[in-house]
Amino acid sequence: MTEHRMTAAIDTSLVTTAAAAFSVLCASTAFAGVLADSRWVFPAVLTVLTVAAIGVLGRKLRWPLTATAFAQLAGVLVVLTAQFTEQAVLGLLPGPAAIGELGGLLSAAGELIRTGVPPVAAEPALQTLVCLGLGVVSVIIDVIVVGLRSPAVSGLLLLCVFAIPASLSETMLPWWTFVAGGLGFAVLLASGGQHRRWRSHEDREQLTRALFGPTTASVAGVAGVIALLTGVVFTGVGTEGRLPGAMPEQLGGGTDGIGLQPFTSLRGQLNRDREVELFRVRGLREPTYLRALTLRKFNPERGWELEGLTQGVEANGELPLPEGTDIGEGSAERVEVQPVGYRDPWLPVFGVPRFLSGMGVNWRYDPAAGIVFTQTNQESRAYIQQLIVPDPSPDQLRGADGPLRMAPEYLDATGIPPQVTDLARRLTANAPTAFDKAVAINRYFTDPRNGFRYDLRTAPAGGGDALSEFLFRGKRGFCEQYASSMAALLRAVGVPSRVAVGFTAGYRDGDERVITTEDAHAWVEAYFPGWGWQTFDPTPLSDGRTALPQYLDSELRPEQQPVPAPGQELPSTPPTTDPAPGDERPEDGSDVAPADPRETEQSSPWPVVLGVLVLGLALLAVPGVVREVRRRQRLRAVAAGSAGAAWREVLDEFRDRGARPAATDTARQVATRLLEHHGLDESGAKAMRALVTAVEREWYAPPGGQPDGSLPETLHEVLNSLRRGAPLDLRSRLFPRSVLQQLRPATT
């Protein structure tokens, strides 16, 4: 006969709740196939565990099933607010501003899904969407498995979790995600398969045998096979990394654009957890930027976009000069490019390409945009490029004159805010030529005295509002902000401009140059009659990766001062006398860069661990923080003579100790009961009576009386007496009853 001991019994609802959360987390591993880094993992785990914890609490307190589900959904909202918004109430609770932030993030996530090519970086917008989806799925599965006791039904929902990333991925999802999903579903079935025979508390050994016995292993194996087959099917009918209908069949199409936000993948390159090699280049004599594509349309809401890409010409063979370029002078070079970890519909090229070969079929070249592209996302082969690296002198560019033989859209300044236009005019007030204007604007960003900082962690989308925020207040960002801003400033003063996206020249390895994800970059190209599009780079990099052309480097080097318009100040923070950390240059003015940060950066688990600890402590501290905020508000009011604020503080102190004063009692009746139950000493009782008198005088006496100057001392004596006679334990200090019982905000 089996003896059931209470010490060995386990609440079976806890088991099924844990199994439900475990199955969702196992299914969520499928997102590893479409997200390039693991930043989404911790927020997702926290969201799912929050749903499980609230479910346990609701069943412990015997809440109705619907009430528990609504509480879980509210918990998901709180977790999203705390993790992804900056305007949460008390840093945790969702208010109107925080809800608006979440809405903006979800909209941005939709755009990233529509335009991005997986795997994409796990940006906060995508993290928000993933956590929201997993949170809702967790609530539904918790209701099905624990509330309705139908675990098998939840398999359909878990399959949907797999179907979404499987349909978005171009290739098979990682095999281990299917194994994890099968294991999670098997444990879920085992946790509820015997619910009709299990009691509310069951023997620990019996539960262990049911959950991890041979039956579960068999189910896990079958589920894993089914999951693998399902993954193959969904991948086969996928949409090549995009939702159906999100992308035209062809990349080119007149002036319709292509619906791609190029900075989506660029951010992914910049924010990767590890460095990935992309290209190896032979034959490049001097460091030169490797251009993947150019953007000509400025959208005030969405930033810079590709527009007007034509069908161009066949890329294999001799190529025409870019539109509006008559002068083919420069250094002629032949380079061999070997793609390593690169897969994209854009084939990067150096300088002005004149001949291409070896990359395969179906590649086109648009001379106006300077872009080599394909209509299908195919693996890039090694290719050979013959090119010209233009080397005009500053005087030649100053003297460049003639018709602007390029599309008028490159001059379109629609949507540029008036204050940005005003800044551009003041910066170029003393610049007589288009080249001088470009140099002046470029210098404004790179001169450390003007306060701009290169920062990978501050990179919102380059829309109109973001443009003003960056130029006039933030002044922190990476190349996206700098290139977007300079191109807009150039157009504001009539200089044709576009944003180029690609890579810096990487680092030398023997007779090759190695280009990695660390070299992803954006810069500006300005048009000069005859010479065509010339490179400018406003990003103040300090790691030696900048590859400025000689005409720009010679102009920026001598100048060390800001360039305000006559009689006006630049709209910047007060100049600093020393460069910001990371922007230092050697005293001799050379380009010797500090050690490459890529050699010293190491990933560490400690940020995640610390994040978990900080968030846990923050959650625990919320009730106590609210209580302390109320106390401080009231003490300030008491110092100003408010007896009512002192009375409310005393009542909350008693509530924290378990007292529940009746709302219908007078202050004198309440004080009498409190004195009887909590036994204040003689000085405390005397102070309590004096406080009641002051309260009654404030409530009932004619207005206009003088405030009681001894009120703070009276309150202090009451509280000290209460704390001496009935000190609060740790639980009451962390979770004060006065906060938990009252839903209304504190008043003073």
Side-chain angles (χ1 to χ4, degrees):
M1 181 177 64
T2 303
E3 179 182 358
H4 293 278
R5 295 173 296 176
M6 291 303 295
T7 55
I10 298 178
D11 187 340
T12 53
S13 69
L14 294 178
V15 176
T16 50
T17 300
F22 178 70
S23 67
V24 175
L25 291 176
C26 287
S28 71
T29 59
F31 287 100
V34 293
L35 298 176
D37 55 76
S38 60
R39 288 176 293 166
W40 64 277
V41 174
F42 171 69
V45 171
L46 180 62
T47 303
V48 174
L49 293 184
T50 298
V51 171
I54 295 175
V56 170
L57 177 64
R59 288 181 278 274
K60 188 75 172 177
L61 299 178
R62 300 184 182 278
W63 292 348
L65 182 62
T66 53
T68 301
F70 278 115
Q72 289 171 315
L73 291 173
V76 172
L77 181 60
V78 170
V79 170
L80 295 179
T81 302
Q83 294 187 103
F84 302 114
T85 68
E86 298 180 353
Q87 303 183 58
V89 179
L90 297 177
L92 182 70
L93 303 178
I99 295 296
E101 280 190 76
L102 289 176
L105 286 170
L106 293 176
S107 298
E111 183 65 22
L112 289 174
I113 291 175
R114 189 181 72 84
T115 60
V117 179
V120 297
E123 298 291 336
L126 290 176
Q127 293 180 46
T128 304
L129 182 61
V130 169
C131 290
L132 176 61
L134 292 178
V136 173
V137 168
S138 298
V139 173
I140 298 175
I141 288 184
D142 188 82
V143 170
I144 293 174
V145 174
V146 187
L148 304 179
R149 298 187 176 185
S150 301
V153 178
S154 64
L156 296 175
L157 197 58
L158 293 174
L159 185 59
C160 290
V161 175
F162 264 92
I164 293 173
S167 64
L168 292 175
S169 179
E170 293 178 326
T171 58
M172 184 72 168
L173 294 178
W175 64 268
W176 55 268
T177 65
F178 298 109
V179 175
L183 176 62
F185 185 56
V187 172
L188 185 61
L189 291 177
S191 71
Q194 304 189 46
H195 66 83
R196 296 186 184 276
R197 290 188 291 158
W198 282 353
R199 297 166 293 186
S200 61
H201 288 77
E202 194 56 77
D203 181 74
R204 186 189 306 271
E205 293 183 0
Q206 180 178 344
L207 283 173
T208 303
R209 287 195 300 270
L211 290 174
F212 306 107
T215 302
T216 302
S218 300
V219 173
V222 173
V225 172
I226 295 174
L228 283 168
L229 294 176
T230 304
V232 171
V233 172
F234 273 104
T235 301
V237 300
T239 56
E240 294 223 343
R242 299 170 181 85
L243 293 179
M247 187 87 161
E249 289 182 339
Q250 294 184 345
L251 295 178
T255 60
D256 292 334
I258 63 164
L260 176 70
Q261 288 281 6
F263 282 128
T264 298
S265 56
L266 178 60
R267 287 195 199 98
Q269 308 290 3
L270 289 168
N271 291 328
R272 285 179 182 262
D273 291 335
R274 62 188 181 90
E275 184 177 1
V276 177
E277 185 175 313
L278 297 177
F279 304 97
R280 283 189 170 264
V281 180
R282 288 178 175 268
L284 189 66
R285 300 172 190 170
E286 298 293 335
T288 305
Y289 292 140
L290 182 62
R291 180 178 61 252
L293 66 159
T294 60
L295 316 175
R296 83 172 187 182
K297 180 181 179 181
F298 177 74
N299 186 318
E301 296 181 355
R302 296 171 55 186
W304 289 85
E305 301 172 334
L306 179 62
E307 183 190 64
L309 186 65
T310 69
Q311 290 292 334
V313 300
E314 174 67 33
N316 275 287
E318 188 173 352
L319 304 178
L321 282 171
E323 185 178 272
T325 303
D326 297 328
I327 305 173
E329 296 180 8
S331 173
E333 300 187 18
R334 180 184 183 276
V335 297
E336 300 176 13
V337 182
Q338 174 65 58
V340 180
Y342 182 81
R343 179 186 177 92
D344 212 64
W346 319 105
L347 190 75
V349 292
F350 292 101
V352 179
R354 301 308 314 274
F355 184 88
L356 285 173
S357 64
M359 64 280 193
V361 297
N362 297 327
W363 289 95
R364 310 289 295 179
Y365 174 60
D366 184 347
I371 297 174
V372 180
F373 62 94
T374 180
Q375 297 177 350
T376 59
N377 194 0
Q378 58 182 283
E379 197 76 36
S380 301
R381 306 176 187 175
Y383 57 100
I384 296 174
Q385 176 187 354
Q386 294 180 12
L387 65 137
I388 295 174
V389 179
D391 57 355
S393 69
D395 288 340
Q396 286 175 316
L397 292 180
R398 286 190 177 95
D401 195 11
L404 301 178
R405 290 182 292 108
M406 44 68 183
E409 286 79 6
Y410 288 111
L411 280 166
D412 184 10
T414 304
I416 297 177
Q419 64 269 28
V420 174
T421 301
D422 180 65
L423 171 63
R425 290 171 179 168
R426 288 189 284 122
L427 290 173
T428 59
N430 296 325
T433 68
F435 176 73
D436 292 317
K437 295 179 191 296
V439 170
I441 293 174
N442 202 130
R443 183 183 297 122
Y444 176 60
F445 291 104
T446 56
D447 192 322
R449 298 171 186 269
N450 291 327
F452 287 92
R453 293 285 306 282
Y454 179 73
D455 189 345
L456 290 178
R457 298 185 181 275
T458 54
D465 290 339
L467 176 62
S468 298
E469 173 66 27
F470 172 72
L471 284 172
F472 298 101
R473 288 172 290 277
K475 295 192 172 185
R476 298 172 69 91
F478 57 67
C479 53
E480 173 185 343
Q481 281 74 29
Y482 287 98
S484 298
S485 300
M486 180 175 175
L489 289 169
L490 285 173
R491 287 196 181 180
V493 291
V495 178
S497 63
R498 65 190 186 188
V499 174
V501 180
F503 305 89
T504 58
Y507 63 91
R508 185 168 294 282
D509 181 17
D511 60 349
E512 296 181 327
R513 296 197 72 87
V514 179
I515 298 175
T516 74
T517 51
E518 290 293 307
D519 300 304
H521 194 51
W523 61 95
V524 177
E525 293 182 348
Y527 177 80
F528 298 91
W531 289 97
W533 296 97
Q534 302 298 318
T535 297
F536 293 81
D537 191 351
T539 305
L541 296 174
S542 59
D543 55 6
R545 291 190 294 130
T546 302
L548 297 181
Q550 183 61 36
Y551 60 79
L552 180 60
D553 187 65
S554 63
E555 289 295 308
L556 293 179
R557 184 74 55 199
E559 300 291 342
Q560 297 295 331
Q561 300 296 326
V563 286
Q568 299 187 31
E569 296 181 357
L570 289 174
S572 64
T573 53
T576 56
T577 56
D578 298 317
D583 289 336
E584 294 87 349
R585 292 183 179 272
E587 292 182 0
D588 61 1
S590 65
D591 275 336
V592 177
D596 192 333
R598 290 178 283 186
E599 298 178 2
T600 58
E601 290 182 353
Q602 296 180 351
S603 59
S604 170
W606 286 112
V608 174
V609 175
L610 292 176
V612 173
L613 293 176
V614 169
L615 184 59
L617 293 174
L619 291 173
L620 291 175
V622 168
V625 169
V626 173
R627 179 71 180 91
E628 183 62 26
V629 170
R630 290 184 180 181
R631 178 181 292 111
R632 291 179 180 275
Q633 290 175 341
R634 288 168 178 163
L635 292 178
R636 287 195 295 269
V638 170
S642 173
W647 180 245
R648 286 188 289 273
E649 178 60 25
V650 168
L651 290 183
D652 272 2
E653 285 285 348
F654 281 102
R655 288 191 183 99
D656 291 342
R657 289 161 174 81
R660 295 190 176 185
T664 57
D665 288 345
T666 65
R668 195 167 294 275
Q669 289 172 326
V670 172
T672 300
R673 290 196 178 95
L674 294 177
L675 289 174
E676 290 175 353
H677 285 84
H678 292 276
L680 270 67
D681 55 25
E682 183 177 352
S683 61
K686 181 179 178 181
M688 186 71 156
R689 289 190 288 270
L691 178 60
V692 170
T693 301
V695 169
E696 292 176 337
R697 184 185 304 114
E698 182 177 287
W699 288 352
Y700 307 120
Q706 293 295 323
D708 185 355
S710 63
L711 193 59
E713 289 77 10
T714 301
L715 174 61
H716 184 70
E717 184 57 41
V718 172
L719 299 182
N720 280 347
S721 177
L722 181 59
R723 292 162 185 166
R724 289 193 297 269
L728 288 174
D729 56 20
L730 178 61
R731 179 179 178 278
S732 297
R733 289 198 297 271
L734 288 175
F735 306 103
R737 295 180 178 90
S738 60
V739 173
L740 301 180
Q741 292 172 3
Q742 297 177 356
L743 299 179
R744 65 180 184 274
T747 57
T748 57

